[in-house]
Amino acid sequence: MRVIIRKNYEDLCFYTARYIASRITAFAPGAGKPFVLGLPTGGSPLGVYRELVQLYRAGELSFASVITFNMDEYAGLGADHPQSYRYFMENNFFKHIDIRAENTHILNGLAGDLEAECALFEQKILDAGGIRLFLGGVGEDGHIAFNEPFSSLNSRTRVKTLTLNTRNANARFFGGDAGRVPARALTVGIGTIMDAGEVIIIASGKSKARALRFGIEGAVSHACPLSALQFHRRGTILCDEEAAGALENETVQYFRDLEDLDAAGT
């Protein structure tokens, strides 16, 4: 696992978007050779999406041969619901770039058989050749997607009952009323994420510092789903200085030294 620390959220998003763009460009996607990208929702990736849109508008990046799979969706919310993740992605990213609608995959929260929907989602990922790069965020308790603490680190896409803590945390998107937050969600599993060729988790702000401390310096444990990234051969945490604030000085210096060595081509 690598940790890359940028000064603030703006620098973090600038760096992340350009890294993703470089991976897509280097892959040279085309007909029969799509770049498969995993994506999150929430506040953390908004700045990254804005930067990617700017790169597209500047003619520096195309999504015409990119296939996307989103991490999760609320059960019971349709694509036209303002708090559905399909609605979020369409309005914050997809409608601003040249991606084909049929290449965007988000779990259907209104599916008649939610378990079958989850199994189909896993199969679609396999049929696409697997996710090449999975971008994600992390919650204050170390959760990734809707994989809350004590989720299995081998979990696959499934229906997940949301804890009261999660519903309270998301109440701000539902008029401050946790009772309006759906009690269940469909989510990729930690195992699904770990199958990706590369995983990037972004984190910004003091509220994420505790999760990063346990995820980076702690033992691998289902108590902190983020810690599973320690086992990924190409797992990276991209964070700002505030999110890195609870790490030991030696930890920060180690990863800064690695970045300096890479930059120098050593």
Side-chain angles (χ1 to χ4, degrees), residues 147-167:
N147 296 285
E148 299 164 320
F150 304 104
S151 294
S152 168
L153 299 185
N154 289 320
S155 56
R156 313 302 304 186
T157 304
R158 67 205 187 283
V159 182
K160 183 76 170 57
T161 299
L162 302 180
T163 66
L164 184 57
N165 283 342
T166 295
R167 295 174 71 189

Side-chain angles (χ1 to χ4, degrees), residues 97-108:
I97 57 176
D98 62 339
I99 195 165
R100 296 184 173 91
E102 64 269 22
N103 285 347
T104 65
H105 299 88
I106 300 179
L107 287 151
N108 180 8

